[in-house]
Amino acid sequence: MEKFRLSQIFTREVEGAVAAKKGLDEGTPFTKLVEKYSECPSKKQGGDLGWMDEEAAGAFMGQNFQDKNVGAVIGPIHSQYGYHLLMVTDIVDESAALKKGPFQTTTPMTEAQSIYPDTGKALFETFQISQIGRTHL
């Protein structure tokens, strides 16, 4: 299962979305266009919406995120809220990472989470280990 990290430029008016898309086509960095055009609270984080699994990413805007590459820009997409330009900023194939076995007993939690963003959740659900090191009986 792949997880996608997405960023967005959100505008309520089509003109802002068109101007942002034109800027992207001209080579302006996505983060600069977020600063200039986005009306989303995620603007404070450079447009970062965080990690989503394939299903959530697809449901987010009715798009098929399979076969998308890091740096791919999708949109503008019209929704009931306004216009969205989405950028795939990272992709993690969790099933491959788990099969590969990247974790050792000495692997720091921060490194584990960069490989598998839901490490804490998986530990809790699989082994009933909380993120603060307690077991739940």
Side-chain angles (χ1 to χ4, degrees):
M1 172 192 247
E2 289 184 318
K3 288 192 91 163
F4 297 86
R5 189 166 199 151
L6 303 176
S7 293
Q8 84 165 341
I9 298 169
F10 168 76
T11 66
R12 289 184 178 85
E13 303 297 326
V14 69
E15 294 82 9
V18 169
K21 177 66 171 144
K22 183 178 178 185
L24 287 169
D25 292 344
E26 293 171 351
T28 305
F30 191 87
T31 53
K32 294 287 183 192
L33 296 167
V34 168
E35 292 171 17
K36 186 171 183 177
Y37 294 106
S38 189
E39 299 173 48
C40 180
S42 68
K43 177 179 185 172
K44 294 175 185 172
Q45 291 82 39
D48 183 27
L49 298 174
W51 289 96
M52 298 179 198
D53 61 28
E54 292 172 51
E55 186 177 328
F60 182 68
M61 286 293 148
Q63 297 289 313
N64 179 1
F65 279 82
Q66 294 175 340
D67 302 323
K68 296 294 181 192
N69 296 319
V70 172
V73 176
I74 301 140
I77 301 165
H78 182 248
S79 75
Q80 64 184 353
Y81 305 106
Y83 298 87
H84 310 260
L85 287 159
L86 300 172
M87 176 182 257
V88 179
T89 57
D90 202 358
I91 301 172
V92 174
D93 183 350
E94 293 177 343
S95 59
L98 291 175
K99 287 177 190 171
K100 191 168 119 181
F103 305 113
Q104 304 298 319
T105 56
T106 57
T107 303
M109 189 65 159
T110 54
E111 183 180 337
Q113 286 179 317
S114 72
I115 296 167
Y116 178 61
D118 288 333
T119 300
K121 181 179 175 187
L123 288 171
F124 176 75
E125 290 175 355
T126 305
F127 303 106
Q128 297 183 338
I129 299 171
S130 75
Q131 292 183 15
I132 57 172
R134 296 185 188 156
T135 57
H136 299 276
L137 303 175

